[in-house]
Amino acid sequence: MPTVECRQLTKVYGSGDTAVHALRGVDLTVEAGELLMLVGPSGCGKTTLISVIASILDGTSGECRVLGQDVLTMPAGDKPKFRLQHLGFCFQSFNLNPCLSAAENVAVPLLIAGWKYARALARSRELLAQVGISEKADVLPDQLSGGQQQRVAIARAFAQEPDLIVCDEPTSALDSVTGEKVMQLVREMTHRTQRSVIVVTHDARIFKFADRIVAMEDGRIVPPKEEVAGGFDRLPPAYVETTDGRGQA
Amino acid sequence: MLRIALKTLFGHHGKVIGMVIGLAVASLMMTQQPATMMSILGRTYSFINDVSQPDIWVMDPMVQFVDDAKPLADSKLGLVRSVSGVAWAVPIFKTTTVARLPDGNTASGQLIGVDDSSLIGAPAKMVSGLTDDLRRTDAVFVNDEGAKLRFAQKQADGTLRPLQVGDILELNERRAEVVGIARTGPTFSSQPVIYTTYTRARLYAPAQRKIMSFVLVKAKPGHDVLELTHEIREQTGLAAYTAEEFKELSLWYFIRNTGVLINFGMVTLVGFIVGAVVSGIMFFNFTQDNLRHFAVLKAIGATPRQLLGMVLLQAAIVGAIGYGIGIGLASIMAMLSSTFQVKFTYSLLAFSAGGVLVICLLAAGFSLLKVLRLEPAVVFKG
């Protein structure tokens, strides 16, 4: 069973003349253990698509099955538990709580799930060790570098051992070396634990870490022939903005 | 989750201090002002408290409060005594007078004349002297507050010497010897109180035909006091109240006819509003600053109930700290104040705690609306 299966998924903001069609019949499948990158110009609907897949935004029509459950018809009250059990998040701006230590930030999903504080903290120290910053467990986020903060965020995303992790521009706030290291880590953890990962990105430098790249434009997935397996070079340049100019139309 | 809530709260020192200060001010004003008001209003019936022996106070029907004594004819005493159920009934006289002090200065005070034979109505607590000393020639007691303040005499070196046992006063051009200093409740006007016997009080007060202010009545054992008040009213045509009823009558007279309640009430209300506005805005800003983190929690899977618990805990913690500081400040002010003997009753503490609770609930309520309506998808907005 695929981890994600979207069929004719639409999302419309507003109504009537002011309606904005953010998703126009998206068909997308993400297999278990796959690291898929979603690319495309700003406003093409990438973030809307992962928001709907992550069940933090309601779709308008179609079907979006995550682990076999259609998140469009799932009762609103069931969604928090579903996200907690099956989804992990990684954000562009890390979104770490500045008042909590690195270990406590990692422990947040576990504490939400009802773990005892000491047990959750012990588990989060293990995760921080896996992402290579065990010595920073008791440090506040503002005392960490950008790369270290993103490692904390990745550890947090993996804390509950979710089946699917959605990452929104995980390297855009990082320099190229750090960005590559972070993506290397995401890839390692993904393949080691057989989780599925969807990465929304503009950053062409990290395309090499993808198992598959899917491009979007105007709320649609571009035709399958334009999907690219394993690299940036075969991707239509118009869909990608890069910091070094590669791929610009 | 609650630990996260607390760490997040105390991670914002500035806002926590602001919220606590707002709540402390509200708590202080909602405690100290009503306590002062209660203290002042309590003085309106302190004389009734001081005269603790009788069950019933009988008076002219037009009397509106304890200082509004309208003299009764002495014959009314016999009338009251004739009511079945009355164990004893004694007269008491209450008026204002002017005393000439040993240094030649004059000061006004309240003159109380108590029953000559039983001395019922005399102060129960003596600082110096004995109650029986009131039977001596020209004997008077003075209350300790009056002796220390209004009746104190200025010495050559500028210091004040309190009136003492053995000092001689002049009341209505007659000699009065201080034979005791009594402890009584503070009076509404802070006037000194002079106690003497009923007969001698006739001489110390300006001449008038009727001087009996009240008749103090004790019910026979087993006789219902309320029923006896009805019987006295019916049979004598006078007003009769239990001590509690008479206190209430006096209290409400002052509440209705002075600005005490309105003035203190306004200050208390201002305290509540200032506390609510300051703390509410600070708490709302605190939540607003952390909205992104709440959105992350929602996205990860926190339920509305968990978020509700976090916000309420944060509000409860700042509320408890602010309330504690406010009560502490009110207590310090009460200890430093020599003017009012302020008492913080449980009901008063519950009142201010209720006020702080309402402020916290309002602040948390507005913040919660924001948090619960928050779309978790904002986490993906850069």
Side-chain angles (χ1 to χ4, degrees):
Chain A
M1 179 179 66
T3 304
V4 178
E5 201 170 10
C6 297
R7 295 284 170 261
Q8 287 304 300
L9 178 64
T10 69
K11 172 66 184 176
V12 182
Y13 293 105
S15 59
D17 294 341
T18 57
V20 175
H21 295 264
L23 299 178
R24 299 166 184 263
V26 170
D27 292 322
L28 179 71
T29 302
V30 182
E31 299 296 337
E34 184 181 31
L35 195 158
L36 178 125
M37 285 194 188
L38 205 53
V39 301
S42 295
C44 70
K46 307 183 295 290
T47 301
T48 300
L49 178 58
I50 60 163
S51 297
V52 174
I53 291 171
S55 75
I56 56 175
L57 185 68
D58 293 330
T60 304
S61 67
E63 193 178 277
C64 182
R65 292 193 171 277
V66 179
L67 300 162
Q69 296 191 57
D70 189 355
V71 294
L72 265 62
T73 55
M74 186 184 290
D78 295 347
K79 287 182 179 177
K81 192 177 176 187
F82 179 76
R83 290 197 295 267
L84 188 61
Q85 288 178 342
H86 302 295
L87 286 155
F89 293 88
C90 204
F91 310 104
Q92 179 182 358
S93 50
F94 320 131
N95 284 335
L96 301 177
N97 187 328
C99 306
L100 305 179
S101 69
E104 287 169 330
N105 267 292
V106 174
V108 164
L110 305 173
L111 295 171
I112 292 174
W115 286 40
K116 294 284 183 203
Y117 181 77
R119 186 173 160 231
L121 223 60
R123 168 72 180 140
S124 61
R125 285 177 192 281
E126 286 172 20
L127 287 159
L128 285 172
Q130 286 178 32
V131 297
I133 50 167
S134 56
E135 75 284 1
K136 302 289 183 185
D138 299 318
V139 173
L140 293 175
D142 60 5
Q143 294 168 304
L144 297 172
S145 67
Q148 288 170 333
Q149 288 189 50
Q150 194 59 293
R151 283 168 185 264
V152 174
I154 290 165
R156 180 177 64 185
F158 280 86
Q160 269 283 79
E161 299 182 353
D163 301 291
L164 172 65
I165 294 155
V166 286
C167 303
D168 185 39
E169 305 279 5
T171 59
S172 68
L174 305 175
D175 61 71
S176 59
V177 176
T178 310
E180 289 215 3
K181 283 182 181 171
V182 163
M183 278 313 299
Q184 184 69 44
L185 177 67
V186 171
R187 188 179 168 86
E188 279 172 19
M189 292 188 76
T190 306
H191 289 169
R192 190 168 66 226
T193 55
Q194 278 298 295
R195 320 242 173 258
S196 302
V197 179
I198 303 175
V199 178
V200 165
T201 185
H202 281 116
D203 188 353
R205 297 167 306 186
I206 64 169
F207 288 171
K208 61 187 174 196
F209 296 102
D211 294 321
R212 189 161 56 102
I213 298 176
V214 171
M216 285 188 74
E217 189 176 60
D218 293 335
R220 293 188 180 89
I221 301 287
V222 295
K225 63 183 172 66
E226 292 178 348
E227 284 186 16
V228 181
F232 159 77
D233 293 338
R234 291 173 55 200
L235 193 71
Y239 299 136
V240 186
E241 297 165 10
T242 66
T243 51
D244 62 1
R246 288 192 307 155
Q248 292 283 3
Chain B
M1 287 301 282
L2 298 182
R3 199 183 283 249
I4 292 175
L6 290 182
K7 286 213 163 190
T8 305
L9 176 69
F10 290 114
H12 295 73
H13 311 107
K15 287 199 169 59
V16 169
I17 290 169
M19 285 185 271
V20 165
I21 288 174
L23 287 166
V25 168
S27 165
L28 168 67
M29 292 175 87
M30 286 190 293
T31 307
Q32 196 266 344
Q33 289 294 308
T36 306
M37 184 186 76
M38 298 292 278
S39 165
I40 291 171
L41 289 176
R43 289 168 175 236
T44 61
Y45 52 75
S46 61
F47 178 60
I48 306 171
N49 283 336
D50 290 337
V51 183
S52 57
Q53 301 98 321
D55 295 324
I56 297 168
W57 291 65
V58 181
M59 64 204 78
D60 186 283
M62 298 307 288
V63 168
Q64 299 182 77
F65 59 102
V66 68
D67 291 330
D68 181 36
K70 300 188 191 311
L72 300 166
D74 284 349
S75 59
K76 296 290 185 186
L77 180 62
L79 206 56
V80 173
R81 282 175 173 162
S82 69
V83 177
S84 66
V86 172
W88 51 254
V90 295
I92 194 164
F93 172 49
K94 186 173 189 295
T95 190
T96 54
T97 189
V98 174
R100 184 173 292 278
L101 306 177
D103 63 359
N105 207 351
T106 59
S108 62
Q110 288 184 14
L111 178 65
I112 311 294
V114 302
D115 182 49
D116 290 51
S117 55
S118 64
L119 297 185
I120 287 170
K125 293 177 189 167
M126 298 299 295
V127 177
S128 58
L130 299 168
T131 307
D132 268 347
D133 291 341
L134 206 57
R135 298 182 199 281
R136 285 162 49 184
T137 308
D138 299 336
V140 294
F141 293 157
V142 174
N143 71 328
D144 58 345
E145 190 185 82
K148 283 179 195 161
L149 301 174
R150 299 275 180 95
F151 281 177
Q153 300 148 77
K154 207 167 192 177
Q155 305 284 85
D157 60 0
T159 58
L160 286 175
R161 172 187 171 276
L163 196 70
Q164 293 171 353
V165 170
D167 285 344
I168 305 298
L169 300 174
E170 188 181 300
L171 298 170
N172 197 23
E173 298 184 349
R174 290 175 189 275
R175 181 180 181 278
E177 182 185 352
V178 178
V179 298
I181 304 293
R183 171 134 319 143
T184 62
T187 59
F188 187 68
S189 55
S190 296
Q191 280 187 324
V193 186
I194 304 164
Y195 288 88
T196 189
T197 59
Y198 189 78
T199 307
R200 206 174 297 129
R202 278 179 179 277
L203 305 172
Y204 288 153
Q208 49 188 320
R209 195 167 60 83
K210 298 188 282 187
I211 69 158
M212 188 168 68
S213 305
F214 305 102
V215 180
L216 307 178
V217 174
K218 187 77 175 176
K220 281 181 181 169
H223 205 99
D224 184 69
V225 175
L226 270 178
E227 198 177 307
L228 185 58
T229 59
H230 293 306
E231 288 167 9
I232 292 170
R233 277 180 215 148
E234 280 176 16
Q235 293 179 35
T236 64
L238 299 171
Y241 303 108
T242 63
E244 287 306 314
E245 286 174 337
F246 193 28
K247 281 184 206 175
E248 205 169 308
L249 184 78
S250 299
L251 180 66
W252 278 103
Y253 175 84
F254 280 94
I255 288 174
R256 274 195 299 267
N257 294 284
T258 67
V260 171
L261 186 66
I262 290 172
N263 289 334
F264 281 96
M266 286 298 286
V267 176
T268 305
L269 184 65
V270 166
F272 175 82
I273 291 170
V274 167
V277 169
V278 171
S279 307
I281 289 173
M282 295 291 251
F283 198 83
F284 189 75
N285 283 345
F286 163 74
T287 310
Q288 193 75 14
D289 286 353
N290 286 286
L291 221 46
R292 191 163 190 87
H293 302 299
F294 280 115
V296 171
L297 294 177
K298 279 184 105 168
I300 290 174
T303 60
R305 194 173 170 177
Q306 285 175 314
L307 298 172
L308 178 82
M310 289 178 75
V311 173
L312 287 181
L313 177 73
Q314 289 167 338
I317 292 294
V318 290
I321 296 171
Y323 176 69
I325 292 173
I327 295 294
L329 288 173
S331 304
I332 290 168
M333 287 173 73
M335 282 192 288
L336 295 177
S337 168
S338 56
T339 314
F340 300 114
Q341 292 167 351
V342 175
K343 283 182 185 169
F344 299 123
T345 59
Y346 286 120
S347 54
L348 189 63
L349 295 176
F351 167 77
S352 55
V356 170
L357 180 68
V358 168
I359 293 173
C360 289
L361 287 177
L362 285 174
F366 283 114
S367 299
L368 269 172
L369 281 179
K370 194 88 179 167
V371 170
L372 295 178
R373 285 179 182 168
L374 183 66
E375 191 71 60
V378 299
V379 291
F380 285 138
K381 289 177 183 163

